[in-house]
Amino acid sequence: MNQRAKDGIKQFLEALSVDTEAPELEKTPSRVTELYSELFSGVGLDTKSAWGGETFSTDYKGLVAVTGIPFYSMCEHHLLPFFGTVDIVYQPKDGCVAGLSKFQDIVNILSRRPQLQERLASELADAIMNDLSAHGVFVRITSTQLCMLIKGTMQQDSKVITLESRGVLAEKGTLRDEALAMLGGGQANV
């Protein structure tokens, strides 16, 4: 257990007049430290190693979509969760595809750290383009941001959607239209 983090959580709670000696709160600093250690487990990790050095050669020439990848992250502004799904469409280079489960691993590495949704979309697109040498990638993240729901004007039922594209899927045209269609959208007006 990270004693420094545990002590910091206890001091933080006490500074807000929370009685950390109360029986029901006695273990809270330890619990919060363990939780945040997991939530921030992607800090300092590189995406390249997550692919395991494994790609597979195929004769496949089309787009590959991996959709509905769940994620949980922490808004770096308020340290409140945001969560939702990631949809990825990519154009493999020369039929070189990655194992489909590796996309969840990449999402976990990049989301398990203090993060912004916009940066997460960009980092995912960059990782797929660079690590897989893909011809193109399209990333859509749909999330619920707790900072929007529980503070200020409390914007219930709001969703945040970010789109990021690279390479051949960044250019308007047939491939981008196909990528959007795979995600349930229409023409590439975005």
Side-chain angles (χ1 to χ4, degrees):
M1 163 106 27
N2 183 328
Q3 188 64 42
R4 187 170 155 214
K6 180 180 169 186
D7 293 343
I9 294 295
K10 184 174 182 184
Q11 289 174 7
F12 171 75
L13 292 171
E14 289 170 349
L16 295 173
S17 302
V18 174
D19 179 10
T20 59
E21 301 302 319
E24 60 276 9
L25 293 170
E26 209 173 332
K27 295 181 181 177
T28 297
S30 295
R31 290 184 188 113
V32 172
T33 299
E34 286 178 30
L35 172 67
Y36 274 79
S37 294
E38 183 178 336
L39 293 173
F40 294 165
S41 62
V43 172
L45 295 182
D46 180 49
T47 58
K48 284 189 187 227
S49 61
W51 300 105
E54 281 191 31
T55 54
F56 306 97
S57 292
T58 71
D59 293 332
Y60 185 71
K61 305 280 188 242
L63 297 172
V64 176
V66 185
T67 64
I69 303 168
F71 80 93
Y72 301 87
S73 194
M74 296 296 284
C75 168
E76 66 184 32
H77 295 147
H78 302 100
L79 293 183
L80 286 172
F82 68 97
F83 59 93
T85 57
V86 175
D87 300 314
I88 298 168
V89 180
Y90 79 106
Q91 175 69 62
K93 181 178 182 182
D94 302 324
C96 186
V97 298
L100 298 176
S101 67
K102 300 301 181 186
F103 290 93
Q104 178 73 63
D105 297 340
I106 298 305
V107 168
N108 285 340
I109 287 172
L110 294 174
S111 65
R112 299 250 171 183
R113 56 181 72 176
Q115 188 60 278
L116 296 174
Q117 181 172 332
E118 298 86 348
R119 184 185 318 117
L120 177 58
S122 180
E123 289 176 349
L124 285 167
D126 288 341
I128 294 162
M129 279 298 287
N130 299 330
D131 298 350
L132 295 181
S133 300
H135 282 305
V137 64
F138 192 94
V139 174
R140 177 179 64 190
I141 300 177
T142 305
S143 81
T144 299
Q145 304 260 346
L146 284 189
C147 59
M148 293 176 69
L149 300 181
I150 64 174
K151 67 176 264 313
T153 59
M154 295 190 225
Q155 301 165 31
Q156 301 303 310
D157 298 323
S158 62
K159 298 284 184 201
V160 177
I161 300 172
T162 50
L163 304 170
E164 194 71 40
S165 56
R166 303 279 186 277
V168 296
L169 296 180
E171 305 161 9
K172 290 191 178 201
T174 305
L175 278 177
R176 185 174 171 94
D177 289 343
E178 285 180 29
L180 285 167
M182 290 174 94
L183 298 178
Q187 293 287 315
N189 295 328
V190 290

